Amino acid sequence: QVQLVESGGGLVQTGGSLRLSCAASGSIFSINDMGWYRQAPGKQRELVATISRGGRTNYADSVKGRFTISRDNDKKMVYLQMNSAKPEDTTVYYCNAEVITYNTGRITSWGQGTQVTVSS
């Protein structure tokens, strides 16, 4: 019904920048909150940043001042601009969206994840 596909992950040097993108598709009537999460091996998934339909943002303390989340409602996309990357940012990043579908109502959808590696 709903698919989220991340792109833009890869290798970046410490202090560099990377831009993650997530495209939502499927039987979507509207999208409420969207966000980015990350999960290191053996750890729980943690919030990185979220953005509401109206543009209200929320960031984890560890990324404040370095990462910026944004969205394009017409394109059904959410982005994460990662600046001043640190080795500690290395992990898998997941896209998330609260979606109102045409047929099943409100659901929470997750992408498959994209690997970000910051070299020291």
Side-chain angles (χ1 to χ4, degrees), residues 11-15 85-87 90 117-120:
L11 177 65
V12 65
Q13 62 183 324
T14 297
K86 302 177 180 180
T90 296
T117 302
V118 184
S119 62
S120 60

Coordinates of all heavy atoms in Angstrom, one line a residue, residues 11-15 85-87 90 117-120:
L11 N 29.4 6.9 1.8 CA 30.6 7.2 2.6 C 30.9 8.7 2.5 O 30.9 9.3 1.4 CB 31.7 6.4 2.0 CG 33.1 6.7 2.7 CD1 33.1 6.2 4.1 CD2 34.2 5.9 1.9
V12 N 31.2 9.3 3.6 CA 31.5 10.7 3.7 C 32.6 10.9 4.7 O 32.7 10.1 5.7 CB 30.3 11.6 4.0 CG1 29.8 11.3 5.4 CG2 30.7 13.1 3.9
Q13 N 33.5 11.8 4.5 CA 34.6 12.1 5.5 C 34.1 12.9 6.7 O 33.1 13.6 6.6 CB 35.8 12.8 4.8 CG 35.5 14.1 4.2 CD 36.6 14.7 3.5 OE1 37.8 14.6 3.9 NE2 36.4 15.5 2.5
T14 N 34.8 12.8 7.8 CA 34.5 13.6 8.9 C 34.5 15.1 8.6 O 35.4 15.6 7.9 CB 35.5 13.4 10.1 OG1 35.4 12.0 10.5 CG2 35.2 14.3 11.3
G15 N 33.4 15.8 9.0 CA 33.2 17.2 8.7 C 32.5 17.4 7.4 O 32.1 18.6 7.1
A85 N 29.5 16.1 9.6 CA 29.4 14.7 9.9 C 30.5 14.2 10.8 O 31.6 14.6 10.7 CB 29.3 13.9 8.6
K86 N 30.1 13.4 11.7 CA 31.0 12.8 12.7 C 31.0 11.2 12.6 O 30.0 10.7 12.1 CB 30.6 13.1 14.1 CG 30.5 14.6 14.4 CD 30.0 14.8 15.9 CE 30.0 16.3 16.2 NZ 29.5 16.5 17.6
P87 N 32.1 10.6 12.9 CA 32.1 9.1 12.9 C 31.0 8.5 13.7 O 30.5 7.4 13.4 CB 33.5 8.8 13.5 CG 34.3 9.9 13.2 CD 33.4 11.1 13.3
T90 N 27.8 7.3 12.0 CA 27.8 6.1 11.2 C 26.8 5.0 11.7 O 26.9 4.6 12.9 CB 29.2 5.5 11.2 OG1 30.1 6.4 10.6 CG2 29.2 4.1 10.5
T117 N 28.1 6.0 6.4 CA 29.4 5.8 7.0 C 30.3 7.0 7.0 O 30.5 7.6 5.9 CB 30.2 4.6 6.3 OG1 29.4 3.5 6.3 CG2 31.5 4.4 7.0
V118 N 30.7 7.5 8.1 CA 31.6 8.7 8.2 C 33.0 8.2 8.6 O 33.2 7.7 9.7 CB 31.0 9.7 9.3 CG1 31.9 10.9 9.3 CG2 29.6 10.0 9.0
S119 N 33.9 8.4 7.7 CA 35.3 8.0 7.9 C 36.0 9.0 8.8 O 35.8 10.2 8.7 CB 36.0 7.8 6.6 OG 36.1 9.0 5.9
S120 N 36.9 8.5 9.6 CA 37.7 9.4 10.5 C 39.0 9.7 10.0 O 39.5 9.1 9.0 CB 37.8 8.7 11.9 OG 38.5 7.5 11.8

